[in-house]
Amino acid sequence: MMKYFFAICITALFFNNSVFSQEKTITHKVGKGETMSQIAIKYNVTPYDIYQLNPDALSGLKPNSILLIPKSSGKQKVAVHANAKAITHEVAPKETLYGIEKKYGVSDEALKQANPFLEKDGLQIGQTLAIPSGIKQKNTTPVQTKVVYHDVLPKETKYSIAKKYGITIEELEKKNPEIVSNLPVGYRLIIKGNPENLGPKVDKTATVVEAKKEIIKPSPEKVSTAVHYLNYVVKPKETLYSLSKMAGMGQEELITLNPALSQGVVEGMVLKFPATINIPQEAKKEYAVISKKSNGRKKLVLLLPFNISKIEGDTVNSTAMRLKKDKFLNMTLDFYAGALVAIDSAKQLGLVIDVNVFDSQETKNTSKIDALIKENNLENSDAIIGPFYQNNVEKTAELLNVNQVPVISPLSKDTALSFSNMFQTVPTATTVKNAMFDFMRSKNGNIVAVVDKKKESVIQFIKENHKDVKFSTLTANGGVSAENLKSLFVKDKINYVVMETGNTGMIKSTMAAMLSAMATYKVQLVILEPNETLDTDEISFVNLTKLKLMYPSVSRENESPEALVFEKEFKKKNKSYPSVFATRGFDITFDTMMRLSQDKKYQETIDNTATEQVDNKFEFYKKEDGGYINKGVYILYYDIDLTIKEAN
C-alpha cells in the first residue's frame, strides 16, 4: 500500500513539474567549466532565479546535468523576493564591496547588516548576497558617481593617505599605478570613482577640479580606525630610511609608532609595521652538491655521550643488559655508527681530515667539556659535532666562542642561549610550522584553519604569525560546521584546511566536509605536527590519500641511489638497517666534512650554500641574537598510490 501511494505521489510530482517547465521554464545542459553566473547571463535571469528551481545546484554544478531555467520577462536582471524587500547578487571574480554597493545604490553598513558573514569572512567569489530594499538602480546605465581626489602634500606617505581615507595601500596603488615606485608632492591621486567615465581625462598635476569632480576630505567618524599591525625584526644594515620606505610611512610616523627608534636602529629590535604591507621574504639559499676543493688538512672533533665510566662502574647490570635497557646509549651508538660510515665515505673521496672522537661524559646538566677542551686543545679544531644535550652545546660554544670554532648541535631543537659560533641542525618547532605556511602561500593557496578549542597555543600561534588564515567557526559543542567550512572555500584557488585536533569525531567531520566539497573546490588536508589519531583504525587511510594529507617534516624517507648505497654500506658494517639516529649521524658528519673540504671556512660555506644529504636538509640562516638555525624542512604528502611523496 505504501509503495502504491509513493508511486502515485512521484507521478503527480513529475506531472506538475512537467507542466510547469512547459509553461514557465526551459532546460539547459551544463557544459564543462560553466558557472552559474554565465548561465544566468545567457538566459537574462539571475542565479537566484535558477537556484529556486534547482536547489541541488547550491552544492555545485556538474557537467551534463540538466537545469530548469525560468523564461525571462525581458525586464531588469534582478531577482526580487516575493515580499519585494530584497534582491540577490552572486559575487563574480574581481568584484569588490565598493563596486557592488555602488551598483545597487546601498550603503556599506546596510549591505553588511543584510549579510552579517561579510564582517567575519569578507567577500568571496560565488557568494550569494542579499541586497536590502531601497535600491536605486533603475537601469544598466553606469551611474556617474563623484570622483574623490587627493593632492599629495609634503611629507605625506602612501600609508598616511590610505589610513586617512580608510583604504589599503594596495587599493591606493591599484587606482594610481603611477605611484608604485614613488609618490611625488603635488600629485593628484584618485581615491574613489573612475574619471574616465566623466569625459576628458584629468590632468594629474592640475589644481582646479571640474564641477562634477570634487576633492572630499574624509570625515573622521566615517573612516575606519581599526589598524592591524605585525611584528618585524630589524635585519643587519637596515636604516631608518629603508625601514620607513618598506613600511610605506614617513620616518617621523614610524618613530611615533615605534618610540624606541628615536634612540637609533639596532639589529634585532622588534618593530610594529602596518599589516597591509608586503615584507620581502628572506632570500632562500640555493641547494647545491658540495665537492672537494681543497687538500688542506682539517681537524674535526665528535663529542659523543658514551659515558663509558658509568658503564664500567655498573656492578648491577652487565654491558649487554645495559645496551638492552639504555635507550640513550643506543641512540648514541647508532649516531656514531652512522658517523663512521660518513668518515669512510670521506676517505674514499680523498678528503684529508683528522677526526677525533671523545666521550663527553654528559648528562642533561653535567659534562666533562671543560677538561676535554683544555686537555686536547680543541680550540684549534675546524669544527665540533656535539655534545648531545643543549646545555652542554651552549657551554661548548661559549668556551670556544673567542676562537670562533663552529659547534654543531646534532640532535637538540631547544635553545636558551645563542652564540655566533653555534649551529642548530634540527629545525625548531616554530620553524617547521612556518615552513608549512610559507609553502601554502607560495602556491597562492586559500588557507583555512579548523582548530580544536583545546589547542589554545596553536590558535594563538596562527593569529599572531599568520593573520591571513581564516578560522572555521565551530558549533556550540565544539564540532565542525560543514556549512561554515565550505563557505570559506574559494573556487579559483587550492583550499588548504589546516586541521589541529586529536578528537576523532572532529577529524571525521572535517574530512567528510572536505570530501563532499571536492566536486566544486580544490581542497587539501594539512597538519602542522604529528597526529597519532590519524594512525588509528577509525580514520580511513584511503580518505587521507584522497585529501592528500600534507605535513612538514625535518626528515624524509629517501630511496634514491645515494641513499641505497648508504643503507647497503651501513648494513654491511653493522648487520642491521640504519635507524633514524644512524642516518642523522651520517648526514651531519658527511655534510660537515664536505664543507671542511672547501677552500674557505665552515661558516662561509653555511652563508653561501644549502645542502641535502640522505634524509636531512641543511639550510642555515643567522639568527638576530647570534648563532645559526636550520630551516631545511620537507613538505610531504600522502599520494593516491598510497606512498609518501615530497611536495614541490
Side-chain angles (χ1 to χ4, degrees), residues 145-439:
T145 57
K146 290 180 179 179
V147 181
V148 180
Y149 292 98
H150 176 89
D151 290 328
V152 179
L153 301 174
K155 296 186 179 181
E156 280 192 314
T157 62
K158 295 177 193 177
Y159 171 78
S160 64
I161 296 169
K163 184 179 178 183
K164 184 183 291 185
Y165 290 96
I167 60 176
T168 65
I169 294 174
E170 184 181 4
E171 289 171 325
L172 184 65
E173 289 181 338
K174 192 172 182 180
K175 282 280 186 186
N176 306 271
E178 302 91 343
I179 68 163
V180 172
S181 57
N182 64 346
L183 185 67
V185 174
Y187 190 84
R188 176 153 292 173
L189 298 172
I190 301 170
I191 304 299
K192 289 185 179 180
N194 184 2
E196 293 181 1
N197 293 334
L198 301 174
K201 289 188 178 180
V202 179
D203 178 1
K204 289 284 194 161
T205 59
T207 56
V208 180
V209 184
E210 294 176 27
K212 286 187 179 178
K213 309 162 192 174
E214 57 183 272
I215 298 175
I216 301 176
K217 298 217 171 178
S219 172
E221 66 271 15
K222 290 183 181 179
V223 176
S224 173
T225 56
V227 181
H228 298 287
Y229 298 98
L230 52 78
N231 292 334
Y232 176 76
V233 181
V234 176
K235 304 291 188 298
K237 299 181 181 180
E238 287 187 315
T239 64
L240 183 59
Y241 174 78
S242 66
L243 291 168
S244 63
K245 283 289 183 184
M246 187 189 302
M249 308 170 69
Q251 295 182 25
E252 291 181 5
E253 287 176 297
L254 190 60
I255 291 173
T256 302
L257 192 59
N258 301 274
L261 283 173
S262 61
Q263 305 299 317
V265 178
V266 180
E267 180 185 339
M269 68 192 309
V270 179
L271 304 178
K272 283 171 65 178
F273 270 19
T276 53
I277 69 163
N278 290 320
I279 294 178
Q281 292 294 313
E282 187 172 30
K284 300 288 285 182
K285 288 187 172 71
E286 290 291 330
Y287 277 79
V289 176
I290 296 178
S291 56
K292 175 188 171 185
K293 288 185 179 178
S294 171
N295 290 318
R297 186 172 290 275
K298 300 292 178 67
K299 183 178 180 181
L300 172 64
V301 171
L302 273 65
L303 297 176
L304 307 181
F306 297 110
N307 293 315
I308 294 173
S309 59
K310 286 186 179 180
I311 296 174
E312 292 176 342
D314 191 342
T315 57
V316 177
N317 298 301
S318 64
T319 302
M321 285 296 294
R322 193 174 184 92
L323 284 171
K324 188 176 288 188
K325 292 180 179 179
D326 196 331
K327 292 181 180 179
F328 186 75
L329 177 58
N330 276 279
M331 178 183 70
T332 303
L333 294 174
D334 280 358
F335 186 94
Y336 180 51
L340 289 177
V341 176
I343 293 167
D344 282 348
S345 299
K347 283 180 182 177
Q348 292 175 24
L349 293 173
L351 273 58
V352 185
I353 300 176
D354 295 328
V355 182
N356 291 289
V357 182
F358 296 101
D359 182 1
S360 55
Q361 298 185 53
E362 61 179 301
T363 63
K364 189 173 183 178
N365 298 308
T366 64
S367 72
K368 296 292 182 180
I369 298 301
D370 298 66
L372 286 171
I373 291 174
K374 291 176 184 177
E375 293 169 8
N376 300 281
N377 300 317
L378 298 190
E379 65 274 7
N380 297 322
S381 305
D382 292 292
I384 293 177
I385 297 174
F388 278 9
Y389 284 109
Q390 187 61 27
N391 283 343
N392 300 326
V393 171
E394 291 169 2
K395 183 178 180 180
T396 306
E398 183 180 17
L399 292 171
L400 296 172
N401 185 253
V402 67
N403 302 97
Q404 281 298 289
V405 178
V407 176
I408 302 160
S409 177
L411 296 176
S412 177
K413 60 184 176 183
D414 301 319
T415 178
L417 303 174
S418 196
F419 299 93
S420 59
N421 61 325
M422 193 166 76
F423 299 82
Q424 297 288 137
T425 64
V426 181
T428 64
T430 299
T431 297
V432 173
K433 291 189 184 81
N434 285 337
M436 188 69 255
F437 284 103
D438 289 344
F439 177 85

Side-chain angles (χ1 to χ4, degrees), residues 52-112:
Q52 277 196 314
L53 296 177
N54 306 271
D56 290 345
L58 287 167
S59 62
L61 294 178
K62 297 179 180 178
N64 300 320
S65 60
I66 304 298
L67 295 177
L68 291 176
I69 309 293
K71 288 183 179 179
S72 172
S73 62
K75 295 180 181 179
Q76 175 184 341
K77 293 192 290 183
V78 175
V80 183
H81 287 283
N83 57 14
K85 287 185 177 179
I87 62 173
T88 60
H89 173 86
E90 184 178 27
V91 180
K94 298 184 180 179
E95 280 194 308
T96 63
L97 277 176
Y98 178 75
I100 295 169
E101 288 158 5
K102 286 297 178 185
K103 179 177 180 180
Y104 293 102
V106 297
S107 67
D108 183 69
E109 183 181 357
L111 186 65
K112 288 180 178 176

Side-chain angles (χ1 to χ4, degrees), residues 520-537:
T520 310
Y521 302 97
K522 293 179 182 178
V523 296
Q524 188 164 7
L525 183 62
V526 175
I527 57 174
L528 301 176
E529 52 194 6
N531 189 333
E532 293 179 357
T533 310
L534 296 180
D535 295 329
T536 62
D537 293 337

Side-chain angles (χ1 to χ4, degrees), residues 420-611:
S420 59
N421 61 325
M422 193 166 76
F423 299 82
Q424 297 288 137
T425 64
V426 181
T428 64
T430 299
T431 297
V432 173
K433 291 189 184 81
N434 285 337
M436 188 69 255
F437 284 103
D438 289 344
F439 177 85
M440 290 186 285
R441 288 194 195 92
S442 73
K443 300 298 180 184
N444 194 32
N446 175 49
I447 310 173
V448 180
V450 176
V451 186
D452 196 320
K453 290 178 180 178
K454 296 177 182 178
K455 298 260 186 179
E456 293 180 4
S457 61
V458 177
I459 295 171
Q460 185 178 357
F461 169 79
I462 295 175
K463 286 184 175 179
E464 288 180 359
N465 299 282
H466 304 284
K467 300 181 187 295
D468 56 331
V469 176
K470 306 167 190 171
F471 280 85
S472 178
T473 304
L474 302 182
T475 59
N477 60 359
V480 177
S481 167
E483 185 179 350
N484 176 260
L485 180 59
K486 290 180 185 179
S487 73
L488 300 177
F489 291 164
V490 178
K491 285 187 178 178
D492 60 344
K493 292 185 177 183
I494 181 165
N495 297 277
Y496 295 111
V497 177
V498 179
M499 181 185 69
E500 285 299 312
T501 178
N503 183 291
T504 303
M506 193 171 177
I507 292 172
K508 283 184 172 181
S509 59
T510 302
M511 291 172 63
M514 292 179 68
L515 289 167
S516 67
M518 288 182 77
T520 310
Y521 302 97
K522 293 179 182 178
V523 296
Q524 188 164 7
L525 183 62
V526 175
I527 57 174
L528 301 176
E529 52 194 6
N531 189 333
E532 293 179 357
T533 310
L534 296 180
D535 295 329
T536 62
D537 293 337
E538 292 183 75
I539 306 300
S540 167
F541 181 76
V542 172
N543 284 341
L544 291 176
T545 63
K546 285 180 182 177
L547 295 171
K548 294 195 172 181
L549 174 68
M550 187 162 60
Y551 59 96
S553 175
V554 299
S555 62
R556 61 173 174 174
E557 291 185 15
N558 186 3
E559 295 184 359
S560 68
E562 295 81 5
L564 295 176
V565 168
F566 161 68
E567 186 178 279
K568 181 180 178 181
E569 286 299 312
F570 187 92
K571 188 177 180 184
K572 181 180 176 182
K573 291 176 180 296
N574 299 281
K575 312 303 181 190
S576 65
Y577 287 102
S579 67
V580 172
F581 296 110
T583 306
R584 188 157 186 82
F586 174 86
D587 282 356
I588 291 174
T589 305
F590 188 73
D591 188 76
T592 303
M593 295 180 81
M594 292 307 300
R595 291 181 183 277
L596 292 180
S597 72
Q598 306 304 291
D599 53 4
K600 56 186 72 173
K601 291 185 177 180
Y602 177 86
Q603 184 172 315
E604 290 180 70
T605 70
I606 288 293
D607 290 331
N608 298 327
T609 310
T611 55

